[in-house]
Amino acid sequence: MSMTVYDGVAAIAPAHDGFILDLWGVIHDGRQLYPGAVDCLTRLRETGRRIVFLTNAPRRASRVIEQLDRFGVDRGLYDGVVSSGETARDAAAAMLAAGEIGRRVLHLGPPRDAGLLDDLPFVDVDDAAGADLVLNTGFDDEDPRLEPLMPALEAAAARGLPMICANPDMVIVRIDGSRFPCAGVMAEAYERLGGKVISFGKPYASVYERCLTILDLPRERVAAVGDGPHTDIQGATGFGIPGYFIAGGIMAEKLGLAHGDLPDAGRAERVCAEEGFMPTAMLPAFVWTR
């Protein structure tokens, strides 16, 4: 199968009434908006398209919306936000009510995400010895290394504590090409220790179902756009909707691209084969046209 490469979203918009859009790697890099992203959102809205942001952010959807406000993304440019953190929070509450997990939570992640389970009947603890479960929201910006966390992970695994992973992503990439590990790295390490991990977000079907409810469109009229090969693309195609891949995100270095560069179809096809995923088509970035 040959790889299709389009120069922008204008080429795919007529085929779809609604879009499920990733945020990190598509709209922004966590610090700044990507060039052309707001213009592209605006053009989609002007043509009547419905839009939901689906993000593997380990925080509540309301906090994601606040971040978009700070970036200057008008709330009229989208219909809703679904976050892996919100999904994990809802699931944790349901599991606690069903007696499947205990109340005492060891949070491993940056302080900004410590409140994910606030206003629910959970209790924070400081170590694995006093915990019933581990909440994994990723790495601290000041020290994004796995090694300092290994003693806590080893202690939790030895006690058989379940881990709730609120972000299955492995890495994010900034617009300058720098890379930062995500909670999926910690979850993978915990599984290697024999620990049980329960993950929420992309590529799991439950978050796509939430998006369809907000879009209020038939599945066959919806497509997804993202830069994560094994989350955004495999999640979308596994759910039965087209998955358009942003080449200038996570895979930019392997594709030999700067953000916004048009990928070479032959090289793109080889990289997809090596990585084990196949998007519906590729886009250089989330832009209307290059």
Side-chain angles (χ1 to χ4, degrees), residues 195-216:
K196 177 185 177 182
V197 177
I198 310 166
S199 295
F200 298 93
K202 297 173 284 187
Y204 304 108
S206 60
V207 289
Y208 291 93
E209 293 286 1
R210 286 189 179 210
C211 290
L212 281 189
T213 298
I214 295 171
L215 289 171
D216 192 26

Side-chain angles (χ1 to χ4, degrees), residues 3-290:
M3 178 62 62
T4 300
V5 176
Y6 295 116
D7 71 349
V9 175
I12 65 173
H16 311 291
D17 296 324
F19 287 89
I20 299 172
L21 303 179
D22 184 26
L23 282 173
W24 290 65
V26 176
I27 305 299
H28 64 74
D29 74 346
R31 295 176 178 170
Q32 60 185 312
L33 293 172
Y34 285 112
V38 169
D39 172 69
C40 192
L41 290 171
T42 302
R43 289 172 182 266
L44 284 173
R45 294 300 265 182
E46 288 174 347
T47 58
R49 268 58 183 184
R50 296 182 62 79
I51 293 170
V52 168
F53 294 130
L54 173 57
T55 176
N56 275 358
R59 54 195 65 96
R60 301 201 64 181
S62 59
R63 289 193 56 205
V64 176
I65 291 171
E66 290 168 1
Q67 183 185 41
L68 290 169
D69 289 344
R70 291 193 296 272
F71 282 145
V73 179
D74 189 276
R75 296 190 186 191
L77 293 177
Y78 57 95
D79 297 287
V81 171
V82 175
S83 71
S84 58
E86 192 83 42
T87 308
R89 173 188 165 89
D90 291 349
M95 288 188 286
L96 179 64
E100 298 172 3
I101 55 175
R103 300 174 61 239
R104 299 171 299 173
V105 181
L106 171 63
H107 173 231
L108 298 180
R112 66 173 178 270
D113 296 326
L116 181 60
L117 301 181
D118 281 357
D119 303 320
L120 295 175
F122 289 98
V123 177
D124 293 328
V125 298
D126 295 327
D127 56 49
D132 297 314
L133 72 150
V134 177
L135 174 64
N136 166 16
T137 64
F139 294 87
D140 196 306
D141 292 346
E142 301 302 317
D143 189 4
R145 295 179 301 142
L146 183 62
E147 290 77 12
L149 299 172
M150 288 306 297
L153 294 175
E154 290 166 353
R159 293 197 57 231
L161 303 184
M163 171 186 281
I164 291 177
C165 178
N167 174 6
D169 284 356
M170 302 297 286
V171 65
I172 59 168
V173 178
R174 307 285 188 193
I175 198 169
D176 63 5
S178 60
R179 302 171 76 85
F180 191 89
C182 293
V185 173
M186 196 190 311
E188 186 178 73
Y190 196 61
E191 288 180 326
R192 287 198 300 268
L193 293 170
K196 177 185 177 182
V197 177
I198 310 166
S199 295
F200 298 93
K202 297 173 284 187
Y204 304 108
S206 60
V207 289
Y208 291 93
E209 293 286 1
R210 286 189 179 210
C211 290
L212 281 189
T213 298
I214 295 171
L215 289 171
D216 192 26
L217 291 169
R219 186 180 309 209
E220 60 269 19
R221 297 301 302 168
V222 174
V225 180
D227 75 321
H230 305 298
T231 49
D232 297 309
I233 302 307
Q234 289 187 334
T237 57
F239 189 66
I241 63 176
Y244 295 101
F245 186 69
I246 298 296
I250 290 173
M251 299 296 294
E253 183 177 0
K254 192 161 188 177
L255 288 165
L257 303 172
H259 186 81
D261 288 349
L262 195 67
D264 173 77
R267 182 168 183 174
E269 191 172 342
R270 290 193 298 274
V271 168
C272 288
E274 291 169 5
E275 293 292 324
F277 78 105
M278 180 54 68
T280 303
M282 279 199 182
L283 303 165
F286 188 71
V287 293
W288 192 242
T289 57
R290 289 178 76 247

